[in-house]
Amino acid sequence: MPEILLNGPVGRLEARYTHNNISNSPSILILHAHPGHGGNMNNNLSLMLHKFFSDNGFSSLRFNFRGVGKSDGDHDGSEGELADSAIALDWLQNQNPESKEYWVCGISFGAWVGMQLLMRRPEILKFILLSPPVGKYDFNFLAPCPASGVIISGEKDGLIDKDMVKDVATKLNKQKSISVKYDSVKSADHFFTNQEKKVIEKIKKYISPS
């Protein structure tokens, strides 16, 4: 998989991309966890997500936020990473102008960034949030949330209160025409260490319930 360098707001953004040759195939943007916790686009979960979605008919893009890996700039912790994500989504759309659906999949900090992006970009129709850091970051901007999706937490998450995450899913489900599923991975920590395959299994069940 060749390296791609996107023209980001403060310089280059290191990325990897897999294209699906079916013109109207869905497209997904994968956002990694906080770099302060070792998050980057080459973590096991990020790699497995990219492969899973690519193998299941998606055009898939993952990238390093500013200041991570070969991406230029410095970690911002908020608006900077949101701007990076908007550039990445623009690039993904340019590669897939006929895509039938655009999805965002975020891990922890990436989940928070991804939902802010979703609120600004109506073309994103589905989301996958893995260990969204509810309580650490404010998710009250999801009022209302315009898209459906799935939220997955680790049952043994020591960084966030999974009941608060469940409350977000419950709140979002009260909206008309919106369906947000909640699930948890037994014995998994916040980053699903050594439990990545179970996360993939739950996502597979979500996108192909039959």
Side-chain angles (χ1 to χ4, degrees):
M1 189 184 304
E3 177 182 88
I4 295 171
L5 295 174
L6 309 179
N7 292 318
V10 294
R12 300 175 302 173
L13 294 173
E14 180 186 13
R16 297 290 188 278
Y17 175 66
T18 302
H19 186 72
N20 189 291
N21 289 323
I22 300 174
S23 62
N24 68 341
S25 63
S27 301
I28 190 161
L29 178 64
I30 300 166
L31 304 177
H32 67 73
H34 197 293
H37 292 283
N40 63 70
M41 71 172 186
N42 292 319
N43 290 140
N44 284 342
L45 185 54
S46 296
L47 290 169
M48 291 176 70
L49 288 166
H50 189 127
K51 184 179 188 306
F52 169 77
F53 286 112
S54 299
D55 289 348
N56 283 272
F58 285 73
S59 287
S60 307
L61 176 67
R62 72 184 197 277
F63 73 97
N64 275 329
F65 288 129
R66 58 184 61 194
V68 180
K70 295 180 182 178
S71 292
D72 292 333
D74 298 308
H75 173 65
D76 178 83
S78 182
E79 294 297 325
E81 284 76 14
L82 177 57
D84 295 343
S85 300
I87 290 293
L89 181 61
D90 289 343
W91 189 91
L92 184 62
Q93 287 181 299
N94 286 336
Q95 301 300 310
N96 302 275
E98 299 177 27
S99 187
K100 63 182 178 182
E101 285 184 342
Y102 295 98
W103 293 49
V104 64
C105 175
I107 306 166
S108 189
F109 171 74
W112 179 65
V113 174
M115 291 308 282
Q116 292 187 78
L117 181 67
L118 181 150
M119 292 297 289
R120 292 164 171 77
R121 301 291 288 266
E123 63 270 33
I124 300 176
L125 300 180
K126 292 284 182 67
F127 65 83
I128 297 172
L129 305 185
L130 305 176
S131 293
V134 179
K136 301 289 185 182
Y137 292 86
D138 185 3
F139 279 78
N140 289 327
F141 60 86
L142 296 175
C145 175
S148 295
V150 62
I151 301 174
I152 302 173
S153 292
E155 189 179 71
K156 301 295 184 181
D157 192 326
L159 295 180
I160 60 173
D161 183 346
K162 73 175 189 296
D163 288 335
M164 293 180 68
V165 179
K166 290 172 69 175
D167 288 344
V168 169
T170 300
K171 179 180 177 182
L172 295 180
N173 265 319
K174 293 179 179 179
Q175 300 174 110
K176 291 182 179 179
S177 304
I178 294 297
S179 174
V180 178
K181 298 185 181 298
Y182 174 81
D183 206 343
S184 64
V185 177
K186 188 176 181 180
S187 301
D189 63 17
H190 184 72
F191 297 107
F192 306 101
T193 307
N194 300 320
Q195 304 285 343
E196 295 91 348
K197 288 183 179 179
K198 292 181 180 179
V199 177
I200 298 299
E201 289 170 4
K202 291 184 179 298
I203 295 174
K204 183 176 181 180
K205 186 181 295 185
Y206 176 69
I207 69 171
S208 303
S210 53

